[in-house]
Amino acid sequence: LTIDASTRRRRRPKHRRRRKTSNMHGLTIGVTRAMTLAKRDVVGKSDARGRRMRTRRTTTTTAAAGGNQDPILLRAARGEDVERPPVWLMRQAGRYMAEFRAYSTKYGFRHRSETPEIAIELSMQPWRAFKPDGVIMFSDILTPLPALGIEFDVVKGKGPVVTPVRTMDDVKAMKQLDDPDSQLPFVREILSTLRKEIEGQSTMLGFIGSPWTLAAYAMEGSSDRHLVTTKQIMTQDPETLHAFLSKLADALGVYVCHQIDSGAQVVQIFDSWAHHLSPQQYLEFSHPYNERVIAYVKQRYPDTPLIFHANGGCGKLHELKKSTADVIGLDWNTSMSEARAVLGPDRVLQGNMDPMYLFASPERIRQEVANNVRDAGSRKHILNVGHGVVQGTPEENVGHFCDAARASVYAPKAVAR
């Protein structure tokens, strides 16, 4: 897929690789039908609707006034001093956007996330509308599981349904992720095309789920608020859980490197189910395996920033301090000022406005952004919501949030005499 920047029309390259057909719970991801429908939707809908949405925001997001500087989010994630807090939103491509719903009501999740034309379009929709400083690929933390022999689907009204992994035999039967280009053939095209589309104007974000979070999904076979099955395995058969976490960590390290090789400039690790762990359990079943992923990636891409976001980091700040990730993401239950005090002035923090404030007035949104930037206490801050954008959020309020971040220019540093 190539993009003509002057017209924003998409054209199919002659050398395009054909994708295999995959079925899961009746979901067909067929080459001809997927590409034909996707092309029709992306060109037809996004050209007309996309032009309209692009007129909403007039803010310039060129690389930097200095000319050849890297995008601001990338610089901030590296720990460099920046002129303001960069901004993006978890789940910024989501059902709160009418453009997005035009696809989600028509196509199943895996069809959307594994068909490059659709995934690229969904990733670009919020960037065209609000110009956040990061563009994150439309995908899911469960996406690499089929490459490991663990199938999943996202069933409307029910959520993820995952092939259970609960015994040592199940763990031993797992496949290795040793050829991401053939096992996950859509990822490179999505990331590389998005990177070309936004080059110099925004930071390309990739992401994965943490080993603990993926293990919990697979052991439960679905999303369960109590993790009854996983916790029983944890307490009665911890060897199986550790073996599973070990294999997941190895695969996820490969997957992160593949994303970076495909165009990701920053990668976030989502520990979405960290809130199910006590601080002691976190140090045994999550932290060591997150560090294993980080170490694998840093050996190969030492200059690529990694963000670690723990949902449920409140009460685990001293444990999070042990992370070697470049950026620590905080959920909205965590006090930003307390996190700054515990994690120190030089640690880059991300977050953490309560996404429910996006239902408030523009004035209240601006005030909460100002409070969050103040509590972060230094220039080492990436503004984000403390959880994903909620369905039903007024689209224009996401724009107000991004505008407030862009207006939060830091005061010049005093020059020592």
Side-chain angles (χ1 to χ4, degrees), residues 132-152:
D133 295 305
V135 172
I136 189 164
M137 72 167 175
F138 178 72
S139 186
D140 194 83
I141 60 174
L142 303 179
T143 291
L145 291 184
L148 308 180
I150 305 169
E151 280 297 335
F152 84 95

Side-chain angles (χ1 to χ4, degrees), residues 151-171:
E151 280 297 335
F152 84 95
D153 194 8
V154 179
V155 180
K156 193 170 184 177
K158 187 175 182 179
V161 177
V162 186
T163 302
V165 177
R166 294 171 178 161
T167 68
M168 190 64 79
D169 287 340
D170 293 336
V171 173

Side-chain angles (χ1 to χ4, degrees), residues 217-238:
Y217 267 112
M219 286 185 160
E220 295 299 322
S222 63
S223 179
D224 183 88
R225 62 180 299 183
H226 298 297
L227 296 192
V228 174
T229 301
T230 309
K231 286 292 189 84
Q232 287 180 337
I233 295 172
M234 175 193 293
T235 56
Q236 300 171 24
D237 186 14

Side-chain angles (χ1 to χ4, degrees), residues 38-342:
K39 186 175 181 66
R40 183 188 309 156
D41 278 348
V42 171
V43 174
K45 292 182 180 177
S46 77
D47 273 6
R49 191 177 291 154
R51 281 195 298 271
R52 183 166 68 252
M53 293 194 71
R54 284 197 295 276
T55 63
R56 297 184 191 176
R57 313 238 74 78
T58 57
T59 304
T60 301
T61 56
T62 50
N68 295 322
Q69 282 185 300
D70 286 325
I72 187 171
L73 193 154
L74 177 58
R75 290 185 281 127
R78 289 173 178 159
E80 299 175 19
D81 283 343
V82 289
E83 56 273 22
R84 62 169 176 83
V87 60
W88 70 284
L89 299 92
M90 291 182 284
R91 208 181 297 147
Q92 65 187 20
R95 287 177 290 176
Y96 72 97
M97 295 189 72
E99 273 198 311
F100 184 96
R101 293 194 298 274
Y103 288 86
S104 64
T105 57
K106 188 173 183 179
Y107 301 111
F109 176 81
R110 286 191 64 180
H111 185 108
R112 283 177 279 140
S113 63
E114 297 178 16
T115 302
E117 284 89 346
I118 296 178
I120 291 164
E121 166 62 17
L122 296 179
S123 303
M124 288 297 296
Q125 286 174 353
W127 188 75
R128 289 196 304 257
F130 314 119
K131 289 296 189 289
D133 295 305
V135 172
I136 189 164
M137 72 167 175
F138 178 72
S139 186
D140 194 83
I141 60 174
L142 303 179
T143 291
L145 291 184
L148 308 180
I150 305 169
E151 280 297 335
F152 84 95
D153 194 8
V154 179
V155 180
K156 193 170 184 177
K158 187 175 182 179
V161 177
V162 186
T163 302
V165 177
R166 294 171 178 161
T167 68
M168 190 64 79
D169 287 340
D170 293 336
V171 173
K172 291 178 179 178
M174 288 172 61
K175 299 177 183 176
Q176 288 187 326
L177 182 60
D178 50 17
D179 186 7
D181 273 318
S182 65
Q183 293 169 286
L184 301 165
F186 45 88
V187 172
R188 183 177 295 279
E189 184 173 355
I190 293 169
L191 280 168
S192 62
T193 304
L194 286 169
R195 174 73 177 273
K196 291 174 186 176
E197 180 88 349
I198 64 170
E199 188 64 58
Q201 302 176 75
S202 190
T203 297
M204 187 67 241
L205 294 157
F207 71 94
I208 62 165
S210 71
W212 157 251
T213 292
L214 294 192
Y217 267 112
M219 286 185 160
E220 295 299 322
S222 63
S223 179
D224 183 88
R225 62 180 299 183
H226 298 297
L227 296 192
V228 174
T229 301
T230 309
K231 286 292 189 84
Q232 287 180 337
I233 295 172
M234 175 193 293
T235 56
Q236 300 171 24
D237 186 14
E239 294 80 8
T240 294
L241 177 54
H242 279 297
F244 191 19
L245 290 167
S246 179
K247 283 202 170 187
L248 286 170
D250 291 343
L252 290 168
V254 172
Y255 186 40
V256 173
C257 290
H258 179 62
Q259 290 188 27
I260 296 169
D261 185 59
S262 299
Q265 295 168 288
V266 177
V267 178
Q268 175 155 309
I269 302 169
F270 283 91
D271 203 350
S272 305
W273 282 7
H275 61 288
H276 286 286
L277 297 171
S278 69
Q280 294 75 21
Q281 290 170 338
Y282 171 82
L283 288 177
E284 180 177 357
F285 294 102
S286 182
H287 175 71
Y289 299 99
N290 300 325
E291 289 299 297
R292 189 159 161 178
V293 174
I294 293 169
Y296 182 94
V297 175
K298 287 298 185 180
Q299 286 176 358
R300 292 155 180 82
Y301 294 95
D303 298 324
T304 299
L306 300 177
I307 303 170
F308 178 71
H309 176 85
N311 183 34
C314 180
K316 300 185 181 74
L317 287 175
H318 291 281
E319 288 71 28
L320 289 177
K321 190 174 183 179
K322 300 177 186 292
S323 174
T324 58
D326 302 276
V327 181
I328 299 297
L330 305 170
D331 70 6
W332 64 270
N333 287 298
T334 305
S335 164
M336 176 63 79
S337 57
E338 181 182 354
R340 175 58 72 197
V342 172

Side-chain angles (χ1 to χ4, degrees), residues 383-394:
L383 184 65
N384 206 316
V385 284
H387 201 272
V389 181
V390 179
Q391 184 177 0
T393 296

